[in-house]
């Protein structure tokens, strides 16, 4: 990509691994490249002919996955999560800081410089990605460990005022304090290195319930039963609705407002899909 003038940031995965005492302890998954809109479109044209498999592109989040040789590659043209509007607005501002404000850092992979988001932007993005998985498909404990290592390794340099502003603007302080309690009480995160951690019965209870949901669904939701995907369309939609409603009810006990918003969004998307299906069939 660099040979043809395409520059990308490495997000999540291997970049976050640099915060571990031994980066190779952190198992590598896919390779996530984050690009400006122009470079996102250029990289699709460049890499698609090399790919043996190409996923359907999500036009809203500007996400395109593909397999090149043995590598799972994901191209990201935005940081949007697909959750609620206030969070998306803050993520758009983070994106502006990255590509227009020069909020970038780098590490040397051998003799190759690899560009990463600045820590202040990376911390917020990694946490928002945890929420994306938590509300949609299932979150892995590795993601929470990544977040903790990022906070721990950069505890002296994080702009806490900026971080707090972004968390409150996005309306996710309840989620932050809950996951902070989970990390401190169950994963051994030092509480003095966890921003906005509050020791109280409320947050401990929330953290315990959240951990139960994560362990029940398994790593990235791998414990969930997806066999209903093979059912007929209407049976699939019914089972999907019931299961999403059940999962939303569990999350509602911890995050009532945002869980309700996501449940209503699921209904809206489902109704929209039905109308599109009816329109196309006619």
């Amino acid at each position: 990509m660099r040979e043809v003038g395409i520059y990308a940031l490495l997000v999540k995965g291997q970049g976050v691994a640099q915060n571990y005492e031994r980066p190779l302890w952190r198992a590598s998954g896919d390779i996530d490249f984050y690009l400006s809109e122009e470079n996102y479109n250029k990289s699709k044209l460049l890499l698609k002919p090399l790919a043996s498999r190409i996923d359907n592109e999500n036009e809203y989040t500007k996400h395109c996955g593909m397999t090149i040789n043995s590598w799972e590659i994901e191209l990201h043209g935005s940081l949007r999560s697909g959750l609620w509007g206030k969070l998306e607005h803050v993520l758009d501002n983070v994106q502006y800081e990255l590509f227009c404000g020069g909020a970038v850092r780098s590490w040397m992979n051998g003799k190759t410089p690899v560009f990463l988001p600045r820590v202040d932007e990376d911390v917020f993005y990694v946490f928002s990605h945890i929420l994306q998985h938590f509300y949609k498909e299932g979150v892995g404990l590795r993601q929470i460990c990544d977040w903790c290592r990022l906070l721990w390794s950069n505890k002296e340099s994080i702009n806490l005022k900026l971080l707090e502003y972004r968390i409150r603007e996005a309306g996710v302080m309840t989620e932050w304090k809950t996951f902070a309690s989970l990390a401190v009480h169950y994963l051994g995160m030092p509480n003095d290195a966890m921003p906005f951690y509050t020791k109280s019965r409320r947050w401990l209870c929330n953290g315990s319930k959240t951990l139960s949901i994560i362990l029940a669904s398994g790593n990235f939701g791998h414990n969930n039963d997806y066999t209903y995907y093979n059912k007929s369309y209407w049976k699939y939609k019914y089972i999907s609705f019931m299961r999403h409603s059940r999962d939303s009810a569990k999350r509602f006990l911890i995050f009532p407002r945002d869980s309700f918003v996501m449940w209503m969004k699921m209904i809206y998307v489902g109704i929209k899909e039905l109308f599109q299906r009816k329109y196309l069939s006619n």
Side-chain angles (χ1 to χ4, degrees), residues 248-265:
S248 295
K250 293 178 182 178
R251 292 190 290 263
F252 183 84
L253 298 175
I254 314 169
F255 311 114
R257 183 197 64 189
D258 294 335
S259 297
F260 180 73
V261 168
M262 291 306 299
W263 183 71
M264 291 298 295
K265 189 169 184 176

Side-chain angles (χ1 to χ4, degrees), residues 1-264:
M1 288 193 288
R2 286 183 184 172
E3 287 176 358
V4 295
I6 299 175
Y7 290 89
L9 301 180
L10 186 67
V11 292
K12 302 182 291 181
Q14 299 74 23
V16 174
Q18 304 314 304
N19 296 285
Y20 284 80
E21 184 178 343
R22 298 184 183 179
L24 292 179
W25 279 354
R26 201 278 190 186
S28 175
D30 51 21
I31 314 297
D32 291 274
F33 291 117
Y34 180 46
L35 308 105
S36 66
E37 183 174 359
E38 179 182 1
N39 282 330
Y40 173 71
N41 292 324
K42 286 182 178 179
S43 64
K44 285 191 297 180
L45 294 175
L46 175 70
L47 298 180
K48 280 185 176 181
L50 307 176
S52 59
R53 179 189 58 81
I54 301 174
D55 297 337
N56 292 329
E57 181 179 4
N58 186 316
E59 295 183 359
Y60 172 73
T61 60
K62 295 180 181 177
H63 170 273
C64 181
M66 62 186 73
T67 301
I68 300 177
N69 297 325
S70 60
W71 302 100
E72 298 289 330
I73 306 294
E74 291 194 4
L75 304 177
H76 300 270
S78 86
L79 293 178
R80 289 180 177 174
S81 62
L83 298 180
W84 47 89
K86 291 175 68 175
L87 177 57
E88 303 292 68
H89 175 70
V90 176
L91 287 171
D92 284 346
N93 289 340
V94 169
Q95 180 173 352
Y96 179 86
E97 287 297 321
L98 290 174
F99 290 115
C100 299
V104 176
R105 58 196 168 108
S106 66
W107 63 279
M108 292 299 294
N109 180 21
K111 296 182 179 180
T112 303
V114 179
F115 298 106
L116 310 171
R118 187 176 64 178
V119 170
D120 291 325
E121 284 65 36
D122 213 7
V123 165
F124 187 82
Y125 171 59
V126 168
F127 183 69
S128 71
H129 195 69
I130 289 173
L131 297 185
Q132 178 182 340
H133 278 269
F134 180 74
Y135 280 105
K136 288 187 173 183
E137 55 188 289
V139 64
L141 285 179
R142 185 183 70 183
Q143 290 178 282
I144 302 175
C145 291
D146 285 350
W147 175 55
C148 291
R149 286 299 310 184
L150 185 60
L151 289 167
W152 167 259
S153 300
N154 301 280
K155 57 184 181 294
E156 303 297 335
S157 60
I158 295 173
N159 185 334
L160 295 179
K161 287 186 177 180
L162 176 60
L163 178 59
E164 182 177 9
Y165 170 78
R166 285 172 170 167
I167 292 172
R168 294 194 183 280
E169 278 291 296
V172 295
M173 184 57 84
T174 299
E175 282 88 348
W176 182 283
K177 285 180 174 288
T178 294
F179 277 90
S181 184
L182 186 162
V184 169
H185 290 281
Y186 295 101
L187 299 180
M189 177 69 172
N191 57 25
D192 59 347
M194 174 55 74
F196 321 121
Y197 164 76
T198 302
K199 185 178 181 180
S200 74
R201 183 177 179 84
R202 174 192 176 186
W203 302 118
L204 178 59
C205 183
N206 277 7
S208 177
K209 291 177 181 177
T210 300
L211 180 61
S212 296
I213 291 174
I214 292 171
L215 294 178
S217 65
N219 188 43
F220 296 100
H222 287 173
N223 287 348
N224 297 334
D225 180 11
Y226 294 111
T227 55
Y228 66 92
Y229 279 25
N230 300 320
K231 304 287 186 182
S232 65
Y233 178 79
W234 290 107
K235 186 174 289 187
Y236 155 76
K237 294 301 290 184
Y238 172 75
I239 297 175
S240 177
F241 172 76
M242 295 302 294
R243 292 193 176 180
H244 280 295
S245 296
R246 177 199 63 195
D247 293 340
S248 295
K250 293 178 182 178
R251 292 190 290 263
F252 183 84
L253 298 175
I254 314 169
F255 311 114
R257 183 197 64 189
D258 294 335
S259 297
F260 180 73
V261 168
M262 291 306 299
W263 183 71
M264 291 298 295

